[in-house]
Amino acid sequence: MRSTMKTTALSGLRAAKKSLWLLTAASALVAVAAPEMEKQLLFGGASTKGWSPAESKLEVSATHVKVSTNALHWHVTVDYYSGEAKYPIGWPRCGRTIPEGAQRDWSAWDFLHMWIYATSSRPALPKEAVGLGLHTPDKASSFNTSLSQLKLGEWVEVVLPIAKIARPGDVRNLQFHLSEANYKHADQLDLWIDDLALLRYARPVVLAFASETAVLFADAKNVAARLQLAGVKPNTTVPVTCELRRAGQVVARATSQAARGAQHLVLPLEAGTLMPGVYELTARAAEGQPTAPVQVRVVESPWRK
């Protein structure tokens, strides 16, 4: 891997962040985009060294490039009558074993990123055109996903959250593959893969934030919230400040230390703090921008005298 470089935030990150964490329907999901990312190219950029195509071909090509000088060009001609003897309608694939050592540890990164340009002899791609698999490090903990977002004749940005990988600290193999059963005999598929890299937020940022309840009683002793924190180095914490406001005035504020990943925070409330009405809850990591406000409605307590 090459040294880490800085880049601007990418458009595909908005969709990827939404899949990081599912919240209950009663909670509002809001996110703040970080303007700066760190990027580390995988395998030194576009090179066929270390890649092993099967029932397909791989080369370095400048025919279609997005951000680099060259891209990886993967070509598949679907053949129902050759391939492996037991499985003539098989699984063309192209994989790369990741060398033992630091390159296998993706746990400090937020996203796996790439651009893919597709062409085909078909007028349209099948629903499950191409799959991506990660061996981490065995079959039981492997990660597999369908790249169903690919489009013919267009560059498509693929951004996959590292949080979805069961064991991101030991990624041993990356593989593109397809099932010939999803294609017709003699169909052709060509993919150009560019900017295959790992991304992470350069500074602390709250990716997702929600109150654990949309309604509070006026005698509540605290407000509980959940958030997803990124841009924090491993084995370190940063201050996260939660604020509860009403009509622009701060009603309660608390700061606690939080590490990277999913967090549960509790904002204590003094007795008599709340009156019935609509409040806004926000969170801010370190010196970053606060999240968009989440509304919390306070109602009179049936036990309040």
Side-chain angles (χ1 to χ4, degrees), residues 25-201:
S27 299
L29 175 63
V30 294
V32 174
E36 189 175 37
M37 307 289 292
E38 292 179 346
K39 179 172 72 173
Q40 186 165 271
L41 291 176
L42 285 170
F43 322 130
S47 171
T48 58
K49 183 179 180 181
W51 288 87
S52 300
E55 302 179 48
S56 58
K57 296 179 180 179
L58 184 71
E59 64 178 2
V60 173
S61 170
T63 303
H64 296 287
V65 292
K66 180 63 177 179
V67 298
S68 309
T69 304
N70 294 293
L72 289 173
H73 174 207
W74 185 42
H75 172 79
V76 178
T77 298
V78 176
D79 191 336
Y80 281 8
Y81 307 104
S82 60
E84 299 178 20
K86 292 184 179 180
Y87 307 102
I89 302 177
W91 298 273
R93 55 202 177 273
C94 180
R96 193 189 194 286
T97 298
I98 300 173
E100 186 175 358
Q103 293 187 45
R104 290 183 175 180
D105 188 358
W106 295 7
S107 60
W109 295 88
D110 295 318
F111 303 100
L112 173 63
H113 171 270
M114 67 198 77
W115 286 96
I116 300 180
Y117 188 96
T119 64
S120 177
S121 60
R122 298 167 54 99
L125 292 174
K127 183 177 181 180
E128 296 185 2
V130 178
L132 173 67
L134 300 173
H135 192 68
T136 62
D138 49 36
K139 186 175 181 180
S141 62
S142 63
F143 171 84
N144 289 281
T145 188
S146 175
L147 302 181
S148 57
Q149 65 268 59
L150 299 184
K151 298 179 181 179
L152 291 178
E154 295 183 28
W155 281 105
V156 173
E157 186 180 24
V158 177
V159 186
L160 301 173
I162 299 298
K164 299 180 87 173
I165 302 173
R167 298 176 65 179
D170 194 4
V171 183
R172 301 190 180 188
N173 183 277
L174 181 150
Q175 183 188 90
F176 296 94
H177 55 268
L178 63 83
S179 172
E180 289 187 320
N182 293 330
Y183 291 80
K184 295 180 179 180
H185 175 69
D187 279 351
Q188 296 192 36
L189 176 70
D190 290 270
L191 298 185
W192 283 263
I193 305 162
D194 196 3
D195 202 34
L196 183 59
L198 296 173
L199 296 180
R200 64 186 173 198
Y201 288 90

Side-chain angles (χ1 to χ4, degrees), residues 206 208-212 222-229 238-245 249-258 263-269 280-286 289-291 294:
V206 178
F209 176 64
S211 169
E212 291 199 344
N222 58 66
V223 181
R226 290 181 290 166
L227 60 84
Q228 185 80 19
L229 188 61
V238 298
V240 174
T241 301
C242 284
E243 286 187 350
L244 185 67
R245 292 173 175 261
Q249 300 298 312
V250 177
V251 176
R253 178 190 292 122
T255 300
S256 58
Q257 293 295 125
Q263 305 292 329
H264 173 86
L265 301 177
V266 176
L267 175 58
L269 300 172
E280 292 184 338
L281 186 66
T282 62
R284 182 180 72 253
Q289 295 295 316
T291 62
V294 173

